[in-house]
Amino acid sequence: MSKNDRNLDKRQQKQRKADVEARKQKRLPWIFGAIVVLIALVVGGSFLSDSFDNTKTTTTNLYSKEISLQSLHDKNAAKDDFYAYYYQPSCEHCKVVSPYLIPMAEQMSKPLFPVNIEGKHDAWTEYKVQGTPTLIHFKDGKEVERIDGQRDPSVYSEFFTNAK
Amino acid sequence: MTDSVTPRSTVNSSPTPSRSLLYWVTIAIRLVLGAVFLYSAVTKIADVYSFGLVLQSYDLLPDPMIKPLAILLPLVELVLGAAVLFKPTARYASLGIGLISLLFTFVMISKWGVVMPYGCGCFGPTEATPVGIVDVGKDVLLVIGAGLVLFRR
């Protein structure tokens, strides 16, 4: 192998090394970006997991006295004096009202039972529910009075206090 | 100076009108896909528990999978929605968007006519509605849009 060939070989090796380095350099932003996205996903996932558990606990506790439509019929058939709170899990107004209405009823010793009517068209028609939340006072198997929509806590408090 | 400009670069610098139109159409599709996926992700992230209820209402997954999927899906949508807006990642993201939308299409077809208590849940829980052409059509359009971005040369 002549000196010229050796030099050429060295130059080619050097060029190949430079190419590999350049490719590595080109990959760096991708690797860095992927790591950042991965970290963000892990952190975000952890927050969402906490949020999921907290909401689940709150919802389960809040609606622990929930009754089915059949139980509601049974209560009316038995002519019980009670309050049916019609709500939907996806209803934004219910998310505001439930946290103060349900504990308030408990404090005032009012028998309030949440009824989930999400997707239950028959219930909407049968009880003439225009929207959620709706609070209906039943007595002797009949509706006595009701409150439609989101109201201030004072309105519900008055409703319970002045119950017929 | 003029020697440094190759004939190829001269051709590329003045695109034909049709090519230019295709370019802008692709940009518009990427923007729409990005906006749809980002909005979809944000509505689910805002109330991840309700999205879990939506997933449960489809009755296709075992209960232990509901929570992980309710968390993972919005995050994946967020990443894909953001990635499709950036040119270097747009094609990979459109592949992901296409596959996810195709999966959603099959799920929607499997529930055709069924009244879902939270609606299709595409953008979080909504009114109870039966699955129909609008729900399937939305996903099919997303698949087509993603395909156009993916296969554009």
Side-chain angles (χ1 to χ4, degrees):
Chain A
M1 197 182 247
S2 73
K3 196 177 175 185
N4 274 348
D5 287 342
R6 276 203 301 274
N7 281 342
L8 182 67
D9 198 36
K10 271 184 185 174
R11 273 206 299 277
Q12 282 175 340
Q13 272 183 5
K14 217 174 176 181
Q15 184 61 42
R16 273 198 293 274
K17 270 186 184 173
D19 287 346
V20 170
E21 274 305 308
R23 272 204 293 273
K24 273 186 187 171
Q25 289 286 325
K26 221 176 169 182
R27 272 189 220 142
L28 268 180
W30 285 93
I31 294 168
F32 180 72
I35 290 171
V36 169
V37 169
L38 205 67
I39 291 171
L41 284 179
V42 170
V43 173
S46 160
F47 274 116
L48 286 180
S49 176
D50 286 348
S51 164
F52 188 99
D53 290 337
N54 290 341
T55 317
K56 189 176 180 181
T57 310
T58 311
T59 309
T60 311
N61 291 340
L62 207 55
Y63 300 112
S64 60
K65 286 172 81 179
E66 183 173 316
I67 54 169
S68 65
L69 286 167
Q70 185 55 49
S71 303
L72 183 62
H73 282 146
D74 294 346
K75 279 186 173 296
N76 270 327
K79 300 194 172 180
D80 286 356
D81 183 353
F82 69 101
Y83 297 85
Y85 171 57
Y86 297 86
Y87 82 100
Q88 299 179 93
S90 65
C91 155
E92 290 303 321
H93 299 292
C94 305
K95 284 176 194 166
V96 176
V97 170
S98 300
Y100 59 71
L101 174 64
I102 296 172
M104 182 194 289
E106 227 162 84
Q107 273 174 8
M108 297 176 79
S109 307
K110 298 289 176 184
L112 182 143
F113 300 97
V115 185
N116 179 0
I117 55 167
E118 186 119 41
K120 292 165 185 164
H121 297 289
D122 295 347
W124 288 72
T125 317
E126 187 181 347
Y127 297 100
K128 298 182 179 66
V129 178
Q130 301 293 319
T132 51
T134 292
L135 181 64
I136 302 182
H137 181 196
F138 288 102
K139 200 175 178 180
D140 297 326
K142 286 178 193 162
E143 176 183 337
V144 181
E145 52 188 336
R146 70 166 66 192
I147 300 182
D148 289 316
Q150 180 185 337
R151 304 293 178 92
D152 287 338
S154 60
V155 176
Y156 293 108
S157 172
E158 206 173 308
F159 184 75
F160 288 135
T161 310
N162 303 328
K164 290 173 185 169
Chain B
M1 287 292 279
T2 49
D3 288 347
S4 64
V5 180
T6 61
R8 189 189 162 119
S9 67
T10 310
V11 170
N12 283 344
S13 66
S14 58
T16 59
S18 63
R19 195 171 173 191
S20 174
L21 181 70
L22 188 65
Y23 172 79
W24 289 111
V25 167
T26 313
I27 294 272
I29 292 171
R30 275 171 48 200
L31 284 174
V32 170
L33 290 177
V36 169
F37 265 67
L38 286 178
Y39 178 66
S40 171
V42 169
T43 53
K44 287 165 188 162
I45 286 170
D47 192 352
V48 73
Y49 179 69
S50 291
F51 181 57
L53 295 177
V54 172
L55 289 177
Q56 210 163 22
S57 73
Y58 276 90
D59 209 17
L60 292 170
L61 296 162
D63 275 354
M65 277 189 72
I66 298 292
K67 185 186 164 188
L69 203 67
I71 293 167
L72 191 67
L73 200 59
L75 290 176
V76 169
E77 285 184 344
L78 190 74
V79 171
L80 291 176
V84 80
L85 297 175
F86 297 99
K87 200 178 174 188
T89 49
R91 289 188 78 184
Y92 302 107
S94 65
L95 177 66
I97 287 174
L99 289 174
I100 282 191
S101 301
L102 198 64
L103 178 73
F104 290 163
T105 308
F106 287 128
V107 170
M108 287 295 154
I109 290 171
S110 76
K111 292 286 169 185
W112 185 275
V114 177
V115 178
M116 302 306 294
Y118 307 101
C120 78
C122 314
F123 303 105
T126 51
E127 298 280 308
T129 46
V131 175
I133 190 73
V134 175
D135 305 302
V136 177
K138 270 190 292 195
D139 290 323
V140 170
L141 282 177
L142 288 174
V143 174
I144 293 170
L148 286 173
V149 175
L150 184 64
F151 295 112
R152 182 188 170 263
R153 292 194 183 272

